[in-house]
Amino acid sequence: MAFNVIGKTVMKSLFGKPATAMYPVIKNDFYPLTRGAIELDPANCIFCNLCAKRCPTEAIEVSRPDRLWTINRTRCIVCNFCVDVCPRDCLTTVRQYTAPMTDKSAAVITVQGPAKES
Amino acid sequence: MGERTIIPFGPQHPVLPEPLHLDLILEDEKIVGAVPSIGFIHRGLEKLVEKRDFQEMAFVIERICGICSFIHGQGYVQTIEAVMGVEIPERAKYLRSFWGELSRVHSHLLWLGLMADAFGFESLFMHCWRVREKVLDIFEETTGGRVIFSVCKVGGLWKNVDGDTLRRIGGVLKDVDKDIRPLADVFMRDYTVQKRCVGLGVLTKEEAFQLGAVGPMLRASGVAMDARKLGYAAYGNLEFEPVTENAGDCQARIAVRVREIYQALDIMRQCIEKMPGGEVATTVKGNPQGEYLSRLEQPRGEAVYYGKGNGTKYLDRFRVRTPTFANLIPLLHIIPGCDLADVPLLALTIDPCISCTER
Ligand code: SF4
Ligand code: SF4
């Protein structure tokens, strides 16, 4: 049995660099793979409804006649499945997380697709 | 005989982040019995398999728990793959073992921190979590998530990790090893820790086996049983021996977990060395039909997964037997005879994960 075994570690942290980042002066960098939120590029979307059908949390709603794509960001678990199933590769995962909110309706984002060329 | 008092412990208790409730029956300060009740956070995740298709469900099953998330996902896809007779590529097997061991390091560091906090050693707690942060960064870099990874799918993995990244991670793991050693020393030798943990809550070898303890709880009592020895994923090709201790008390459980961190780091090093190249996923056709039961070693002990498919894309049944569920009975066995003040420590030594247990 020994006393004060942690002493050396304590001295090290007393004189060493802090272990935490100096936020907000130094911002945390995300990794390239970090899954933050799902974004749609409406130019390519064909409103096929596949992403909505395969989403495990039913976070996406697609209306083909109105050309509307809606996501509820507080339902979405950012599992990336919709990005993988989309036939047109128009969904991307951005690295920035959704900002905190006090009003849940702010989490519902609707994207209007361009009008169909006839 | 003194007067008997019943004191409720939990579901809200400073030492437990999760809702476990025990009715403690006391005679003066000594505990003579404990009656558990669980069921505060049941979410019905198992039932959901009847409504979500089997590929989507892999993401949901991972969310059973925030600590052993990867291995839950692995257990699920492994079960479905066995039902469907899918053979996954070798590289995927190694990566699964790699992430599984990374989960073990992260879980054990978390537990060591919580344990230090439970016996009032706050600075040790913070240092454990400081090291754990590096492990979480590796997770974020390789999978995109810090807690929930969403990389397992039926037929392999969603993401590959290239060789250069793996070699660099090997370097980071060496740093982690170096950072852990002085902290492990505190757990193994320091007077305050020894005074609190040696001889507390002894579970003998026979009791541990007969009461069905699993994981570090079982191995700390001297039973060398580890589900990884079944050779699932890449474990058949990796060299390791189950870590055991003989004392069966709280200190032995700490020692087993500390040594398992070193073991996990060693297994990861082997994974990086032996990992073959190639694809990480195969295409899966058809739907699962039949049933299978697989056993995996979680950081907390052996978990059992059962899946039954009926030929449609929805499963008939999926069931998880979690390690905490198995360890509750040994816990109830070691509590009587202890002081009231020891209960938080004893409850913590099984590494309780109630959200897993209730799903
Ligand atoms: S799957 Fe892709 S193309 Fe189809 S609706 Fe969704 S985002 Fe649009
Ligand atoms: S990331 Fe997952 S949960 Fe979120 S919208 Fe896509 S499929 Fe649904």
Side-chain angles (χ1 to χ4, degrees), chain A residues 1-6 9 13 19 30-31 33-35 53-58 77-81 84 97, chain B residues 52-53 56 59 63 121 123 127 130 137 140-144 148-150 158-159 182 185-186 189-191 194:
Chain A
M1 251 186 254
F3 290 92
N4 195 23
V5 185
I6 201 168
T9 315
S13 33
F30 294 112
Y31 291 95
L33 283 181
T34 303
R35 299 192 307 273
K53 221 162 79 194
R54 300 305 299 273
C55 172
T57 61
E58 296 168 1
I77 52 177
V78 207
C79 65
N80 231 18
F81 198 35
D84 285 299
Y97 299 108
Chain B
R52 295 272 181 274
D53 94 35
E56 286 165 25
F59 301 115
R63 282 158 175 83
F121 208 148
S123 58
H127 279 291
R130 170 177 59 86
D137 281 345
E140 186 176 356
E141 187 181 352
T142 52
T143 67
I148 302 287
F149 314 117
S150 307
W158 287 108
K159 292 202 169 74
D185 218 28
V186 181
R189 291 201 303 134
D190 198 90
Y191 175 77
Q194 304 268 307

Side-chain angles (χ1 to χ4, degrees), chain A residues 40 45-51 86-87 90-91:
Chain A
L40 172 80
C45 180
I46 49 171
F47 299 91
C48 65
N49 204 27
L50 204 60
C51 51
C86 175
C90 51
L91 292 171

